mmCIF file of all heavy atoms in Angstrom:
data_model
loop_
_atom_site.group_PDB
_atom_site.id
_atom_site.type_symbol
_atom_site.label_atom_id
_atom_site.label_comp_id
_atom_site.label_asym_id
_atom_site.label_seq_id
_atom_site.Cartn_x
_atom_site.Cartn_y
_atom_site.Cartn_z
ATOM 1 N N SER A 183 132.542 100.930 63.899
ATOM 2 C CA SER A 183 131.926 102.100 63.287
ATOM 3 C C SER A 183 130.876 102.655 64.249
ATOM 4 O O SER A 183 130.858 103.848 64.549
ATOM 5 C CB SER A 183 131.287 101.653 61.970
ATOM 6 O OG SER A 183 130.546 102.656 61.358
ATOM 7 N N THR A 184 130.039 101.774 64.774
ATOM 8 C CA THR A 184 129.018 102.199 65.744
ATOM 9 C C THR A 184 129.050 101.317 66.991
ATOM 10 O O THR A 184 129.299 101.800 68.086
ATOM 11 C CB THR A 184 127.611 102.141 65.112
ATOM 12 O OG1 THR A 184 127.425 100.858 64.529
ATOM 13 C CG2 THR A 184 127.436 103.222 64.059
ATOM 14 N N HIS A 185 128.834 99.998 66.799
ATOM 15 C CA HIS A 185 128.755 99.099 67.948
ATOM 16 C C HIS A 185 129.743 97.954 67.799
ATOM 17 O O HIS A 185 129.546 97.069 66.959
ATOM 18 C CB HIS A 185 127.346 98.501 68.064
ATOM 19 C CG HIS A 185 126.278 99.538 68.192
ATOM 20 N ND1 HIS A 185 126.097 100.272 69.337
ATOM 21 C CD2 HIS A 185 125.356 99.976 67.313
ATOM 22 C CE1 HIS A 185 125.089 101.118 69.163
ATOM 23 N NE2 HIS A 185 124.629 100.964 67.938
ATOM 24 N N LEU A 186 130.780 97.957 68.586
ATOM 25 C CA LEU A 186 131.715 96.828 68.623
ATOM 26 C C LEU A 186 132.498 96.904 69.935
ATOM 27 O O LEU A 186 132.880 98.000 70.374
ATOM 28 C CB LEU A 186 132.659 96.860 67.411
ATOM 29 C CG LEU A 186 133.361 95.535 67.073
ATOM 30 C CD1 LEU A 186 132.357 94.430 66.747
ATOM 31 C CD2 LEU A 186 134.325 95.708 65.899
ATOM 32 N N HIS A 187 132.694 95.748 70.566
ATOM 33 C CA HIS A 187 133.391 95.678 71.855
ATOM 34 C C HIS A 187 134.415 94.561 71.817
ATOM 35 O O HIS A 187 134.246 93.593 71.087
ATOM 36 C CB HIS A 187 132.387 95.406 72.986
ATOM 37 C CG HIS A 187 131.384 96.497 73.183
ATOM 38 N ND1 HIS A 187 130.300 96.656 72.340
ATOM 39 C CD2 HIS A 187 131.307 97.493 74.103
ATOM 40 C CE1 HIS A 187 129.588 97.705 72.746
ATOM 41 N NE2 HIS A 187 130.174 98.236 73.816
ATOM 42 N N TYR A 188 135.465 94.711 72.634
ATOM 43 C CA TYR A 188 136.421 93.610 72.738
ATOM 44 C C TYR A 188 136.776 93.364 74.195
ATOM 45 O O TYR A 188 136.547 94.215 75.073
ATOM 46 C CB TYR A 188 137.683 93.873 71.904
ATOM 47 C CG TYR A 188 138.611 94.917 72.480
ATOM 48 C CD1 TYR A 188 139.669 94.548 73.326
ATOM 49 C CD2 TYR A 188 138.444 96.262 72.189
ATOM 50 C CE1 TYR A 188 140.527 95.511 73.849
ATOM 51 C CE2 TYR A 188 139.298 97.223 72.716
ATOM 52 C CZ TYR A 188 140.332 96.836 73.556
ATOM 53 O OH TYR A 188 141.172 97.782 74.088
ATOM 54 N N LEU A 189 137.377 92.211 74.397
ATOM 55 C CA LEU A 189 137.733 91.765 75.742
ATOM 56 C C LEU A 189 138.994 90.936 75.632
ATOM 57 O O LEU A 189 139.093 90.080 74.744
ATOM 58 C CB LEU A 189 136.591 90.889 76.280
ATOM 59 C CG LEU A 189 136.874 90.093 77.546
ATOM 60 C CD1 LEU A 189 136.858 91.019 78.759
ATOM 61 C CD2 LEU A 189 135.848 88.984 77.712
ATOM 62 N N LEU A 190 139.968 91.180 76.506
ATOM 63 C CA LEU A 190 141.173 90.339 76.541
ATOM 64 C C LEU A 190 141.068 89.426 77.755
ATOM 65 O O LEU A 190 141.089 89.895 78.895
ATOM 66 C CB LEU A 190 142.435 91.215 76.607
ATOM 67 C CG LEU A 190 142.601 92.182 75.432
ATOM 68 C CD1 LEU A 190 143.804 93.093 75.633
ATOM 69 C CD2 LEU A 190 142.730 91.410 74.108
ATOM 70 N N ARG A 191 140.929 88.137 77.513
ATOM 71 C CA ARG A 191 140.737 87.165 78.594
ATOM 72 C C ARG A 191 142.079 86.476 78.828
ATOM 73 O O ARG A 191 142.703 85.994 77.890
ATOM 74 C CB ARG A 191 139.686 86.147 78.145
ATOM 75 C CG ARG A 191 138.891 85.506 79.225
ATOM 76 C CD ARG A 191 137.786 84.634 78.618
ATOM 77 N NE ARG A 191 136.497 85.282 78.569
ATOM 78 C CZ ARG A 191 135.501 84.953 77.743
ATOM 79 N NH1 ARG A 191 135.689 83.993 76.857
ATOM 80 N NH2 ARG A 191 134.353 85.577 77.778
ATOM 81 N N ARG A 192 142.508 86.467 80.090
ATOM 82 C CA ARG A 192 143.798 85.849 80.398
ATOM 83 C C ARG A 192 143.825 85.376 81.846
ATOM 84 O O ARG A 192 142.864 85.548 82.562
ATOM 85 C CB ARG A 192 144.931 86.852 80.156
ATOM 86 C CG ARG A 192 144.779 88.141 80.953
ATOM 87 C CD ARG A 192 145.840 89.122 80.561
ATOM 88 N NE ARG A 192 145.736 89.396 79.123
ATOM 89 C CZ ARG A 192 146.711 89.941 78.395
ATOM 90 N NH1 ARG A 192 147.855 90.238 78.964
ATOM 91 N NH2 ARG A 192 146.523 90.190 77.124
ATOM 92 N N HIS A 193 144.936 84.792 82.270
ATOM 93 C CA HIS A 193 145.103 84.298 83.629
ATOM 94 C C HIS A 193 144.936 85.438 84.639
ATOM 95 O O HIS A 193 145.493 86.497 84.405
ATOM 96 C CB HIS A 193 146.488 83.657 83.769
ATOM 97 C CG HIS A 193 146.724 83.047 85.111
ATOM 98 N ND1 HIS A 193 146.228 81.808 85.462
ATOM 99 C CD2 HIS A 193 147.385 83.527 86.212
ATOM 100 C CE1 HIS A 193 146.587 81.538 86.705
ATOM 101 N NE2 HIS A 193 147.292 82.557 87.173
ATOM 102 N N PRO A 194 144.305 85.301 85.800
ATOM 103 C CA PRO A 194 143.570 84.093 86.209
ATOM 104 C C PRO A 194 142.190 84.009 85.573
ATOM 105 O O PRO A 194 141.421 84.952 85.648
ATOM 106 C CB PRO A 194 143.448 84.277 87.724
ATOM 107 C CG PRO A 194 143.434 85.760 87.919
ATOM 108 C CD PRO A 194 144.290 86.349 86.832
ATOM 109 N N PHE A 195 141.932 82.874 84.934
ATOM 110 C CA PHE A 195 140.610 82.630 84.339
ATOM 111 C C PHE A 195 139.640 82.232 85.445
ATOM 112 O O PHE A 195 140.031 81.582 86.414
ATOM 113 C CB PHE A 195 140.695 81.500 83.308
ATOM 114 C CG PHE A 195 141.496 81.872 82.088
ATOM 115 C CD1 PHE A 195 142.867 81.622 82.034
ATOM 116 C CD2 PHE A 195 140.890 82.468 80.992
ATOM 117 C CE1 PHE A 195 143.613 81.958 80.908
ATOM 118 C CE2 PHE A 195 141.628 82.803 79.864
ATOM 119 C CZ PHE A 195 142.999 82.549 79.829
ATOM 120 N N GLY A 196 138.393 82.620 85.315
ATOM 121 C CA GLY A 196 137.417 82.253 86.340
ATOM 122 C C GLY A 196 136.067 81.991 85.732
ATOM 123 O O GLY A 196 135.943 81.734 84.531
ATOM 124 N N ARG A 197 135.042 82.074 86.575
ATOM 125 C CA ARG A 197 133.671 81.814 86.127
ATOM 126 C C ARG A 197 133.091 83.095 85.533
ATOM 127 O O ARG A 197 133.208 84.168 86.131
ATOM 128 C CB ARG A 197 132.824 81.309 87.293
ATOM 129 C CG ARG A 197 131.379 80.980 86.907
ATOM 130 C CD ARG A 197 130.658 80.169 87.973
ATOM 131 N NE ARG A 197 131.166 78.814 88.082
ATOM 132 C CZ ARG A 197 130.815 77.795 87.289
ATOM 133 N NH1 ARG A 197 129.944 77.990 86.306
ATOM 134 N NH2 ARG A 197 131.320 76.599 87.468
ATOM 135 N N VAL A 198 132.493 82.980 84.366
ATOM 136 C CA VAL A 198 131.841 84.139 83.756
ATOM 137 C C VAL A 198 130.408 83.760 83.384
ATOM 138 O O VAL A 198 130.098 82.589 83.144
ATOM 139 C CB VAL A 198 132.603 84.646 82.500
ATOM 140 C CG1 VAL A 198 134.019 85.067 82.863
ATOM 141 C CG2 VAL A 198 132.621 83.610 81.394
ATOM 142 N N HIS A 199 129.544 84.771 83.361
ATOM 143 C CA HIS A 199 128.115 84.559 83.117
ATOM 144 C C HIS A 199 127.698 85.250 81.827
ATOM 145 O O HIS A 199 128.079 86.403 81.595
ATOM 146 C CB HIS A 199 127.285 85.154 84.267
ATOM 147 C CG HIS A 199 127.534 84.486 85.571
ATOM 148 N ND1 HIS A 199 128.652 84.742 86.339
ATOM 149 C CD2 HIS A 199 126.811 83.543 86.233
ATOM 150 C CE1 HIS A 199 128.611 83.996 87.425
ATOM 151 N NE2 HIS A 199 127.502 83.259 87.393
ATOM 152 N N LEU A 200 126.893 84.570 81.044
ATOM 153 C CA LEU A 200 126.349 85.183 79.831
ATOM 154 C C LEU A 200 125.470 86.371 80.205
ATOM 155 O O LEU A 200 124.763 86.342 81.201
ATOM 156 C CB LEU A 200 125.522 84.168 79.026
ATOM 157 C CG LEU A 200 126.284 83.168 78.155
ATOM 158 C CD1 LEU A 200 125.303 82.331 77.355
ATOM 159 C CD2 LEU A 200 127.248 83.876 77.206
ATOM 160 N N GLN A 201 125.525 87.387 79.368
ATOM 161 C CA GLN A 201 124.753 88.603 79.580
ATOM 162 C C GLN A 201 123.249 88.328 79.602
ATOM 163 O O GLN A 201 122.529 88.861 80.442
ATOM 164 C CB GLN A 201 125.072 89.551 78.397
ATOM 165 C CG GLN A 201 124.560 90.936 78.516
ATOM 166 C CD GLN A 201 125.382 91.771 79.464
ATOM 167 O OE1 GLN A 201 124.993 91.994 80.601
ATOM 168 N NE2 GLN A 201 126.539 92.221 79.013
ATOM 169 N N ASP A 202 122.786 87.507 78.660
ATOM 170 C CA ASP A 202 121.352 87.432 78.379
ATOM 171 C C ASP A 202 120.631 86.283 79.064
ATOM 172 O O ASP A 202 119.421 86.166 78.974
ATOM 173 C CB ASP A 202 121.114 87.273 76.861
ATOM 174 C CG ASP A 202 121.769 88.403 76.073
ATOM 175 O OD1 ASP A 202 121.948 89.474 76.650
ATOM 176 O OD2 ASP A 202 122.106 88.180 74.891
ATOM 177 N N GLU A 203 121.375 85.373 79.683
ATOM 178 C CA GLU A 203 120.650 84.252 80.299
ATOM 179 C C GLU A 203 121.464 83.647 81.423
ATOM 180 O O GLU A 203 122.623 83.969 81.626
ATOM 181 C CB GLU A 203 120.292 83.200 79.254
ATOM 182 C CG GLU A 203 121.486 82.478 78.693
ATOM 183 C CD GLU A 203 121.081 81.254 77.870
ATOM 184 O OE1 GLU A 203 120.232 80.478 78.343
ATOM 185 O OE2 GLU A 203 121.620 81.084 76.782
ATOM 186 N N ASP A 204 120.826 82.741 82.130
ATOM 187 C CA ASP A 204 121.419 82.197 83.340
ATOM 188 C C ASP A 204 122.335 81.023 82.998
ATOM 189 O O ASP A 204 122.054 79.878 83.336
ATOM 190 C CB ASP A 204 120.283 81.751 84.268
ATOM 191 C CG ASP A 204 120.818 81.500 85.674
ATOM 192 O OD1 ASP A 204 121.928 81.995 85.971
ATOM 193 O OD2 ASP A 204 120.132 80.822 86.437
ATOM 194 N N LEU A 205 123.413 81.338 82.299
ATOM 195 C CA LEU A 205 124.360 80.290 81.925
ATOM 196 C C LEU A 205 125.757 80.801 82.235
ATOM 197 O O LEU A 205 126.094 81.942 81.905
ATOM 198 C CB LEU A 205 124.221 79.984 80.428
ATOM 199 C CG LEU A 205 125.001 78.789 79.884
ATOM 200 C CD1 LEU A 205 124.499 77.478 80.486
ATOM 201 C CD2 LEU A 205 124.890 78.735 78.367
ATOM 202 N N SER A 206 126.547 79.974 82.919
ATOM 203 C CA SER A 206 127.907 80.401 83.246
ATOM 204 C C SER A 206 128.872 79.272 82.951
ATOM 205 O O SER A 206 128.484 78.113 82.796
ATOM 206 C CB SER A 206 127.993 80.798 84.718
ATOM 207 O OG SER A 206 127.892 79.648 85.540
ATOM 208 N N VAL A 207 130.150 79.630 82.856
ATOM 209 C CA VAL A 207 131.173 78.614 82.646
ATOM 210 C C VAL A 207 132.420 79.042 83.419
ATOM 211 O O VAL A 207 132.682 80.239 83.579
ATOM 212 C CB VAL A 207 131.485 78.442 81.129
ATOM 213 C CG1 VAL A 207 132.157 79.657 80.557
ATOM 214 C CG2 VAL A 207 132.335 77.205 80.872
ATOM 215 N N ASP A 208 133.136 78.064 83.948
ATOM 216 C CA ASP A 208 134.397 78.340 84.635
ATOM 217 C C ASP A 208 135.524 77.955 83.686
ATOM 218 O O ASP A 208 135.716 76.777 83.380
ATOM 219 C CB ASP A 208 134.474 77.522 85.929
ATOM 220 C CG ASP A 208 135.739 77.855 86.716
ATOM 221 O OD1 ASP A 208 136.511 78.743 86.266
ATOM 222 O OD2 ASP A 208 135.963 77.232 87.768
#
Side-chain angles (χ1 to χ4, degrees):
Chain A
S183 174
T184 51
H185 302 288
L186 199 60
H187 296 77
Y188 73 93
L189 168 75
L190 301 175
R191 208 174 262 157
R192 57 186 59 198
H193 183 80
F195 292 91
R197 181 166 290 278
V198 300
H199 296 78
L200 281 185
Q201 189 76 258
D202 304 334
E203 68 169 314
D204 194 18
L205 188 65
S206 71
V207 68
D208 184 2

